[in-house]
Amino acid sequence: MGSNRCVYSPLKPDELQVLRGQYEKEGDFVGVQTKFNYAWGLIKSNNRGEQQEGVRLLSEIYRSAPERRRECLYYLALGNFKLGNYAEARRYNESLLQHEPANMQAASLQSLIDDKVAKEGLVGVAIVSGVAIAAGVIGSLIFKGARRR
């Protein structure tokens, strides 16, 4: 798995709990770094709800702390990728690659996004083709039935 390892390996529950505890302890005055660390841990999770919360927190950081945008881009791309939001993932990742064309993590994520989109696109084409064929068969049966009358 190598460079793709970070996409699939969640933190241990106690590691995520440490980040959650720090985030909750800071409450209304949570620091940007604490929020970022917690969001990072949530995005690495295999739990969809935690991934969504991680993307939400990173989006807040992205909007409110312009100086932190570049470091948010990769994890926003990764979080959206894991959630199946491939267009959003691609948008964030391409933005990062514009700033850092030699970023190997982003390049690796881009190929994962492209692979998923291609696979899902082929599945979508197969589904649409199957529906079209079924509609054609049903239409021809109806037409033949109408001609016999």
Side-chain angles (χ1 to χ4, degrees):
M1 248 183 321
S3 63
N4 298 337
R5 185 170 172 250
C6 80
V7 175
Y8 300 106
S9 58
L11 296 180
K12 294 182 179 95
D14 56 324
E15 293 171 329
L16 184 57
Q17 188 54 45
V18 167
L19 296 175
R20 180 179 288 120
Q22 183 64 37
Y23 176 79
E24 290 172 352
K25 187 174 98 180
E26 293 183 23
D28 291 338
F29 303 103
V30 67
V32 173
Q33 188 62 49
T34 300
K35 188 184 236 186
F36 180 88
N37 292 346
Y38 182 45
W40 168 81
L42 290 170
I43 281 176
K44 289 177 68 69
S45 172
N46 289 330
N47 177 298
R48 186 170 177 82
E50 289 179 345
Q51 293 167 355
Q52 289 170 326
E53 179 67 4
V55 167
R56 187 187 68 75
L57 293 173
L58 280 174
S59 295
E60 288 176 8
I61 296 168
Y62 186 83
R63 284 190 302 274
S64 67
E67 71 281 2
R68 302 298 293 265
R69 285 186 178 155
R70 280 176 62 185
E71 65 188 302
C72 287
L73 287 172
Y74 176 76
Y75 292 103
L76 281 166
L78 179 60
N80 278 289
F81 172 78
K82 289 180 79 175
L83 290 167
N85 303 331
Y86 303 126
E88 281 293 291
R90 177 178 274 143
R91 188 171 63 85
Y92 285 119
N93 203 56
E94 286 176 351
S95 182
L96 176 58
L97 285 168
Q98 284 177 341
H99 295 290
E100 299 176 14
N103 186 315
M104 295 308 291
Q105 269 189 312
S108 176
L109 182 55
Q110 190 66 41
S111 69
L112 287 174
I113 294 167
D114 291 344
D115 289 349
K116 272 288 195 192
V117 168
K119 284 178 188 160
E120 292 203 357
L122 291 175
V123 169
V125 166
I127 291 170
V128 169
S129 298
V131 169
I133 290 169
V137 169
I138 291 169
S140 71
L141 292 174
I142 291 171
F143 183 71
K144 283 181 182 174
R147 275 199 341 210
R148 286 188 185 148
R149 291 183 194 161

